[in-house]
Amino acid sequence: ELKVEQNPLFLSMQEGKNYTIYCNYSTTSDRLYWYRQDPGKSLESLFVLLSNGAVKQEGRLMASLDTKARLSTLHITAAVHDLSATYFCAVLGAGADGLTFGKGTHLIIQP
Amino acid sequence: EPEVTQTPSHQVTQMGQEVILRCVPISNHLYFYWYRQILGQKVEFLVSFYNNEISEKSEIFDDQFSVERPDGSNFTLKIRSTKLEDSAMYFCASSDNSPTEAFFGQGTRLTVV
């Protein structure tokens, strides 16, 4: 059974700081997704990482994938309040259609 | 920009009643999914649907659940006899070519009382 673990689950940080969210998964996969969710809203796709060593950047967010370590990171640079949200990583297991999600990281960025 | 739309946005139903949640996927997409998120918890996969049949379902998707694509545009999730624990946000998603990026709808919040 594929398991996806995120840490931390809760993160409070100040504007301007850098931080990294980690996503570990338990079985072989080379397809990993990061989503953002605002309270009561849907899931917004941030990044799709499809191969080992993939790195993608959008604004202050950068995601990477290491399939050998079964680890993805979401790095936040010089955080701003607008990035406050819950961030989920999700993994597509081999041969599967459905994504397995982590529990999410609830991120609060304070002025 | 094309989007997945879901109706209703919020539904309240009595325990034991049947509910149908509706979704209109993005028009050229071929793969359709339902996920649910119990309040404050992680998102869980329910079922995927391709070529007019279920292609994968999770353990959650038991006999009380069914999906249907009754016409060329709608994709529905039926819960036959709702239980209190079915209260959750239900998300529909679609993709053009699994397993590429799936686009999620805004969700239907189901409250069973």
Side-chain angles (χ1 to χ4, degrees):
Chain A
E1 179 191 348
L2 173 58
K3 292 187 177 160
V4 179
E5 291 190 2
Q6 282 181 244
N7 69 84
L9 298 182
F10 182 81
L11 176 57
S12 178
M13 56 191 290
Q14 287 191 321
E15 281 191 326
K17 300 289 187 184
N18 303 333
Y19 210 82
T20 301
I21 299 170
Y22 297 89
C23 175
N24 289 91
Y25 52 98
S26 61
T27 65
T28 302
S29 173
D30 56 2
R31 302 181 186 278
L32 189 135
Y33 305 76
W34 283 97
Y35 289 90
R36 168 182 172 147
Q37 186 180 39
D38 292 298
K41 303 293 185 183
S42 186
L43 296 157
E44 176 191 353
S45 178
L46 295 175
F47 300 107
V48 181
L49 302 169
L50 298 178
S51 61
N52 186 41
V55 177
K56 290 194 175 179
Q57 183 161 5
E58 180 75 34
R60 300 174 188 274
L61 300 178
M62 184 173 71
S64 66
L65 177 62
D66 181 343
T67 58
K68 292 179 182 173
R70 298 176 187 168
L71 170 69
S72 179
T73 60
L74 180 66
H75 187 73
I76 304 156
T77 302
V80 293
H81 178 69
D82 287 351
L83 291 178
S84 297
T86 299
Y87 293 85
F88 290 95
C89 68
V91 176
L92 192 68
D97 288 347
L99 295 169
T100 299
F101 281 78
K103 290 185 177 179
T105 297
H106 184 50
L107 175 64
I108 296 177
I109 299 170
Q110 299 175 359
Chain B
E1 185 177 331
E3 58 181 15
V4 177
T5 56
Q6 292 183 241
T7 55
S9 56
H10 188 193
Q11 175 139 10
V12 181
T13 188
Q14 288 202 326
M15 193 168 52
Q17 295 296 305
E18 175 183 286
V19 294
I20 298 176
L21 310 182
R22 292 184 166 78
C23 169
V24 178
I26 294 173
S27 63
N28 63 339
H29 284 187
L30 303 175
Y31 294 82
F32 315 114
Y33 313 86
W34 283 101
Y35 290 81
R36 79 172 184 190
Q37 183 181 31
I38 295 171
L39 185 63
Q41 298 188 25
K42 68 177 181 179
V43 179
E44 300 173 292
F45 169 71
L46 293 178
V47 66
S48 60
F49 192 85
Y50 171 72
N51 201 24
N52 285 321
E53 60 183 22
I54 291 173
S55 57
E56 185 187 359
K57 60 183 181 179
S58 71
E59 291 178 353
I60 303 168
F61 194 87
D62 60 21
D63 291 344
Q64 69 163 336
F65 291 95
S66 62
V67 289
E68 196 176 40
R69 189 159 161 80
D71 54 43
S73 61
N74 290 286
F75 179 50
T76 62
L77 174 69
K78 182 192 289 186
I79 309 175
R80 246 177 288 281
S81 177
T82 51
K83 306 173 201 163
L84 294 176
E85 54 265 38
D86 293 328
S87 295
M89 182 77 95
Y90 288 81
F91 291 106
C92 173
S94 69
S95 64
D96 57 0
N97 182 19
S98 180
T100 59
E101 186 177 1
F103 292 85
F104 284 77
Q106 79 278 19
T108 293
R109 180 169 298 284
L110 175 66
T111 303
V112 182
V113 297

